[in-house]
Amino acid sequence: MSARGRAPVLLAAAAGAVLALAAGAPTWVLGRAETAAGLREVSAAGREAAPVATALALVALAAVVACSLGRRTARTLAAVVLLLAGAGAAASAGAVLSSPQPALSAAARAVSGRSDPQLQQVSTRPWPLVCAAGGALCAAAGAAALVRGRAWSAPSRHERDAAASTPAGSARASAAPAPADPAATWDSLTRGNDPTR
């Protein structure tokens, strides 16, 4: 497959990785923890709620670069890494969606001072879903690169030939015959020899 087929796959993979990475910055989970002074609000950003998803998004970005620059074997390995990283990021974000309470545990312990804090009114924002979508896009692009990547042409290299790298002047100098000795030519003329023959 030509560069035309490669570009959409790699752009989709990069977009998914950036989406999953960017989704880790905002708040994912909100809730209230019971303390001695009453209920206090606690929250967790995506990087705290699902640090694995953020790490795997970075891995996916690196795999995109490897897919774009590597040769056939390197592309295949990078496509596998991209597929697994995307699936892992999506699964990590999905785990927060299905069970958001563990994401608030650290913040709730810090606020309440208890080892087993009680949480109430726990809710999630849409960002875990965005991260999961980005991971799924990476996984789909990784699968496409794995299937189609064998037909992609190798990246072009601008290497000059050894002969082309030789300066033109020196090439001409080596190809041209060495000039005759002027004194010998003059002596030939005085003896009546024609040096043009």
Side-chain angles (χ1 to χ4, degrees):
M1 186 178 290
S2 65
R4 289 182 192 173
R6 179 190 342 211
V9 173
L10 295 181
L11 284 175
V18 169
L19 189 65
L21 193 59
T27 299
W28 281 21
V29 187
L30 296 168
R32 294 190 173 194
E34 293 182 2
T35 67
L39 292 177
R40 285 190 60 181
E41 289 188 0
V42 289
S43 63
R47 291 169 187 162
E48 301 161 355
V52 173
T54 302
L56 289 177
L58 288 172
V59 171
L61 274 178
V64 171
V65 174
C67 272
S68 64
L69 298 178
R71 293 188 175 274
R72 185 173 180 178
T73 304
R75 275 199 309 266
T76 302
L77 291 174
V80 171
V81 170
L82 182 60
L83 172 61
L84 295 177
S92 180
V96 174
L97 280 172
S98 62
S99 180
Q101 287 86 357
L104 292 175
S105 296
R109 281 195 298 269
V111 166
S112 66
R114 300 176 183 173
S115 60
D116 188 18
Q118 299 298 314
L119 291 166
Q120 297 181 17
Q121 301 174 6
V122 177
S123 62
T124 57
R125 290 192 168 183
W127 295 109
L129 190 58
V130 173
C131 182
L137 186 58
C138 283
L146 193 59
V147 172
R148 302 177 185 176
R150 294 178 182 178
W152 291 348
S153 58
S156 61
R157 289 185 156 190
H158 303 288
E159 295 178 353
R160 293 193 301 174
D161 189 58
S165 64
T166 306
S170 62
R172 283 197 215 100
S174 62
D181 182 21
T185 304
W186 185 256
D187 290 340
S188 296
L189 284 172
T190 57
R191 285 192 299 267
N193 296 331
D194 187 0
T196 60
R197 290 183 183 175

